[in-house]
């Protein structure tokens, strides 16, 4: 069946996938330099130039007390680094690893998996740094365990997305350029730098547009997990919307991958 073909390709390649994922990382230190520098710039901008701008989060029945904007932003931007790399690097993965497709008999879908796992390794390094920050400035909570709900979902969702984007980018460099060009827009249309739950700015129909953004789902999920300590089950509408998107992205990815994979060696 078409829906199981990708998973069958992984059979017998588990060891190779994790070995290649490890080799994909240039170095644990270098892997976190870029996101660490970005976080430093935001810290300098909002804690020094803007004198510690504060923010309040809307919880449905009211607002939380004011909290430092850097704390709010820091927890929200950690999943964004993974999402950004998953979209950008995932889209160009097949083109940059063409040797495995044209010269070596290696299941194409496993290339997408091992590069995705390498990004997950980097995410776990950044998460370790973030959680130390959480323990010092916020404190631990049982809600922190929701990380093991959001993180695997995030990994699989954006892996499934690459089943569509990577083959299409292999056929067209223009498609790859299009993905790169819209990433800044995705950043500012997601709740990384603001509270996307706030009805003052995102009420009515706009609210559902924001809820339909999967980046919002994970950014808000990490904040619910580490910052405001709310369960994922509280946001039933958001969960339903995301579940529909996850199923849709998975089915579309499987269809596109199976439609294009046999043509990839000739194209590359």
């Amino acid at each position: 069946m078409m829906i199981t073909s990708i998973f069958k390709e992984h059979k017998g390649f588990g060891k190779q996938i994790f070995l290649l994922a490890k080799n994909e990382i240039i170095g644990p230190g270098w892997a976190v330099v870029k996101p660490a520098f970005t976080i430093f710039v935001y810290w300098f901008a909002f804690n020094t130039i803007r004198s510690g701008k504060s923010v309040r989060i809307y919880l449905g029945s009211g607002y939380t007390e004011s909290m430092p904007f850097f704390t709010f932003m820091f927890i929200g931007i950690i999943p964004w680094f993974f999402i950004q790399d998953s979209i950008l690097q995932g889209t160009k993965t097949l083109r940059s690893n063409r040797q495995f497709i044209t010269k070596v008999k290696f299941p194409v879908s496993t290339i997408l998996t091992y590069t995705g796992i390498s990004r997950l390794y980097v995410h776990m390094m950044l998460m370790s740094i973030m959680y130390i920050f959480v323990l010092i400035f916020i404190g631990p909570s049982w809600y922190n365990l929701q990380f093991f709900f959001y993180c695997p979902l995030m990994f699989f969702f954006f892996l499934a997305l690459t089943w569509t984007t990577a083959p299409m980018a292999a056929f067209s460099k223009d498609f790859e350029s299009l993905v790169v060009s819209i990433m800044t827009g995705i950043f500012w249309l997601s709740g990384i730098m603001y509270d996307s739950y706030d009805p003052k700015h995102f009420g009515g129909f706009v609210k559902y547009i924001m809820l339909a953004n999967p980046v919002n789902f994970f950014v808000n999920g990490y904040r619910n997990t580490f910052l405001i300590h709310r369960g994922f089950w509280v946001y039933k509408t958001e969960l339903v919307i995301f579940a529909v998107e996850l199923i849709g992205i998975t089915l579309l990815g499987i269809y596109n991958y199976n439609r294009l994979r046999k043509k990839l060696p000739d194209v590359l």
Side-chain angles (χ1 to χ4, degrees):
M1 291 179 64
M2 184 173 65
I3 199 169
T4 61
S5 59
I6 292 178
F7 303 103
K8 285 182 178 178
E9 285 190 349
H10 287 64
K11 187 177 181 180
F13 284 88
K15 184 177 180 180
Q16 293 94 324
I17 287 172
F18 284 98
L19 180 62
L20 288 167
K22 183 179 178 181
N23 292 338
E24 184 80 359
I25 304 176
I26 298 175
W30 285 109
V32 299
V33 167
K34 181 180 177 181
F37 180 74
T38 301
I39 291 170
F40 169 77
V41 170
Y42 283 123
W43 170 83
F44 182 80
F46 290 103
N47 273 38
T48 306
I49 299 175
R50 296 294 298 275
S51 301
K53 180 183 176 184
S54 61
V55 66
R56 295 188 304 163
I57 301 176
Y58 184 74
L59 299 180
S61 57
Y63 292 87
T64 62
E65 295 182 1
S66 295
M67 64 184 69
F69 179 80
F70 175 76
T71 301
F72 172 83
M73 182 278 302
F74 181 38
I75 293 176
I77 206 170
I78 292 298
W80 167 251
F81 290 131
F82 176 82
I83 292 169
Q84 176 181 242
D85 284 346
S86 293
I87 296 174
L88 289 177
Q89 302 304 321
T91 297
K92 62 180 71 173
T93 291
L94 296 183
R95 188 178 290 276
S96 59
N97 290 276
R98 66 185 69 187
Q99 70 275 11
F100 289 113
I101 302 172
T102 59
K103 298 179 181 179
V104 181
K105 189 177 180 181
F106 201 81
V108 176
S109 63
T110 59
I111 299 173
L112 301 175
T113 301
Y114 85 71
T115 54
I117 291 174
S118 71
R119 292 187 290 271
L120 188 62
Y121 287 159
V122 175
H123 181 62
M124 298 306 293
M125 295 176 203
L126 292 174
M127 272 300 308
S128 299
I129 297 171
M130 188 201 78
Y131 196 60
I132 293 172
F133 177 89
V134 168
L135 292 176
I136 295 173
F137 295 101
I138 301 173
S141 167
W142 288 111
Y143 286 101
N144 297 164
L145 294 174
Q146 290 183 136
F147 170 76
F148 298 103
F149 169 76
Y150 284 109
C151 186
L153 270 183
M154 183 170 65
F155 171 77
F156 182 76
F157 182 90
F158 290 100
L159 174 63
L161 182 63
T162 63
W163 295 343
T164 290
T165 60
M168 291 180 67
F171 277 80
S172 172
K173 287 230 27 156
D174 290 337
F175 180 80
E176 182 181 316
S177 300
L178 173 65
V179 172
V180 172
S181 66
I182 65 175
M183 287 306 298
T184 300
I186 292 175
F187 176 86
W188 291 108
L189 290 173
S190 305
I192 299 163
M193 306 298 287
Y194 52 82
D195 179 17
S196 60
Y197 289 146
D198 194 335
K200 292 181 180 178
H201 305 290
F202 307 106
F205 181 68
V206 178
K207 169 187 174 181
Y208 293 97
I209 295 178
M210 299 302 292
L211 291 180
N213 183 345
V215 179
N216 263 333
F217 178 80
F218 293 111
V219 169
N220 289 330
Y222 272 54
R223 288 192 181 121
N224 291 332
T225 298
F226 297 106
L227 182 59
I228 60 178
H229 302 154
R230 296 197 94 196
F232 63 84
W233 54 87
V234 174
Y235 302 94
K236 295 181 178 63
T237 302
E238 191 172 27
L239 274 173
V240 171
I241 292 173
F242 176 76
V244 172
E245 291 177 334
L246 178 61
I247 294 170
I249 286 292
T250 302
L251 294 178
L252 178 63
I254 291 171
Y255 169 76
N256 264 317
Y257 173 78
N258 282 284
R259 180 172 62 92
L260 299 174
R261 64 174 176 170
K262 292 182 180 180
K263 302 176 183 177
L264 287 171
D266 296 330
V267 173
L268 296 173

